[in-house]
Amino acid sequence: MAHRCLALLLILAAAATSAGAATPRQLFLVSQAPVTLTNHHGQLLTGNYSVNLLWYGRFTPAQRAVVADFLLSLSAPVPSASASAPSVAAWWATTARYHPGAARLTLGRQVLDPSLSLGRRLSEASLAALAARLSPHRGSVAVVVTAPDVLVDGFCLSHCGLHASATSAASAASPATAPGVVAATATRGRGRFAYVWVGNSAEQCPGECAWPFHRPQYGPQAPPLVSPNADVGMDGVVINLATLLAGAVTNPYGGGFFQGPAEAPLEAVTACTGVFGAGAYPGYPGQLPVDAATGASYNAVGVAGRRFLLPAMWDPRTSQCSTLV
C-alpha cells in the first residue's frame, strides 16, 4: 500500500498547537520509505491504563462489541506457542519492547452520545472536548469513535484518525447515555491525558480508511478482503485504533519513539504501513489465514474466538516490521 495507490497509508504526523491544546499525531494518507525509529527519551505510557470509549453518533450493539472485544483482547493471556492462531495480546506485547515500555490496557467505561451533542461536524478542538468528557486522568486513555455520518475536519481528505494529548479541566455537560452505559461527568482539576479519535469510514472513504476490506480509490484494484467481523467500517476502525493506540503508548507526548521530524513522525505501526502478513507489497497486504466458512481474512484471535486483522508493528529488538503471520 505504498507508491501511488493511496490505499490506507497511515502515517502519524504532529499538528502544531498552542500551549494547553491538543497535540495530535494524525493518520495521514501518504507514502513513506522504511525507517528505523529513534528513542527520543521522552515519556512513554507504562503501567496499567483503562481505555474509556465515547461513541459519537449511532452504533449498534454488535458494532460496539467489535471494538470492546478488541480492547479486552489486548490484556487477555497470551496463548502458548502451540496455539493454532496468534493472539491480539501477542501483537500488543511488542509495545513492551519499547524501553521502558509495558503499558497494560484494559477496557474501561463506555459512554454513548447518539444525539450528536456537538453537532455533525467536528473540529480537532471538538474531539479534545469530547475526550475530556470521559473524566480522563493519568491512568486512562480516552477514545472517541465517530459514526459514519459524522464529518470531522480532514477526515478522508488527509487522515483516518489521530492520537493526541491535552490538558483536562472542568468540562461541559455530559452526552446522553443508554441503559447500562455510564454517563460522562465533569472532569475535576487539571492534568495531562492522552486520547485517540478514529472514525468509521464506511460511508465516506472505505477505500482510504478501511483498506484492505474495500477497493482503494486509486492504484491496483485487487479484490478486497472479506472482513472478519462482517462489517467493513468497524473492521477498519479496529485497524486504525490498533495503529493509534500503539502510537499513543510509545509516543504519547511527542518525545518517545519515532522517526523523522516531530511535526510529522513515523511511529510504531505507521512505520510499517500497508503490511499485515508475510510477503506484503504495495497494494497487497500479505499472506493471511482465511476462514474456510466465511472467506474472511484475519491474522489475530481475541476473546471468545473473535478474529481481527492487525497491522505490522516495528520491533525494537529486530529493527524490522513484525507481522503475526
Side-chain angles (χ1 to χ4, degrees):
M1 287 192 304
H3 207 42
R4 301 190 183 114
C5 70
L6 296 180
L8 191 57
L9 299 182
L10 307 180
I11 307 300
L12 294 181
T17 57
S18 60
T23 56
R25 263 72 65 192
Q26 300 176 340
L27 292 181
F28 272 82
L29 308 176
V30 297
S31 60
Q32 294 286 336
V35 295
T36 297
L37 304 191
T38 300
N39 183 1
H40 294 79
H41 302 289
Q43 182 179 350
L44 276 60
L45 300 188
T46 61
N48 296 325
Y49 283 79
S50 60
V51 180
N52 299 322
L53 292 164
L54 189 149
W55 299 94
Y56 193 77
R58 296 191 179 277
F59 293 87
T60 67
Q63 289 178 319
R64 297 198 301 270
V66 172
V67 171
D69 284 353
F70 167 67
L71 294 173
L72 288 170
S73 301
L74 291 174
S75 59
V78 178
S80 65
S82 61
S84 59
S87 71
V88 173
W91 176 84
W92 184 252
T94 301
T95 63
R97 299 170 189 167
Y98 287 69
H99 182 76
R104 183 177 184 271
L105 303 186
T106 56
L107 178 63
R109 304 188 307 143
Q110 296 190 60
V111 174
L112 306 187
D113 188 355
S115 62
L116 305 178
S117 60
L118 295 186
R120 195 173 300 278
R121 180 177 292 276
L122 301 176
S123 64
E124 288 181 7
S126 302
L127 297 174
L130 289 171
R133 290 178 175 180
L134 291 167
S135 298
H137 54 82
R138 292 183 179 180
S140 69
V141 176
V143 173
V144 177
V145 186
T146 50
D149 60 343
V150 174
L151 305 176
V152 178
D153 289 352
F155 185 45
C156 296
L157 298 177
S158 60
H159 57 270
C160 302
L162 60 83
H163 78 82
S165 63
T167 300
S168 63
S171 61
S174 303
T177 61
V181 180
V182 180
T185 58
T187 304
R188 294 179 174 84
R190 299 181 63 86
R192 200 177 194 186
F193 67 95
Y195 72 92
V196 167
W197 159 69
V198 62
N200 184 332
S201 65
E203 295 181 7
Q204 299 182 51
C205 57
E208 285 78 11
C209 295
W211 189 89
F213 301 126
H214 193 281
R215 289 182 185 270
Q217 185 174 356
Y218 306 101
Q221 297 294 303
L225 304 182
V226 177
S227 63
N229 293 287
D231 189 320
V232 169
M234 293 310 298
D235 278 309
V237 164
V238 168
I239 292 173
N240 296 336
L241 179 58
T243 299
L244 292 162
L245 286 175
V249 302
T250 60
N251 187 33
Y253 307 122
F257 283 81
F258 64 89
Q259 164 67 17
E263 294 76 18
L266 296 179
E267 298 179 318
V269 174
T270 54
C272 306
T273 293
V275 178
F276 294 88
Y281 56 82
Y284 173 62
Q287 301 173 18
L288 298 167
V290 176
D291 183 274
T294 66
S297 297
Y298 66 99
N299 61 6
V301 177
V303 295
R306 191 186 286 274
R307 293 173 173 178
F308 302 98
L309 183 65
L310 300 179
M313 189 185 308
W314 189 80
D315 189 334
R317 291 183 181 176
T318 62
S319 295
Q320 294 180 345
C321 292
S322 174
T323 60
L324 287 172
V325 296

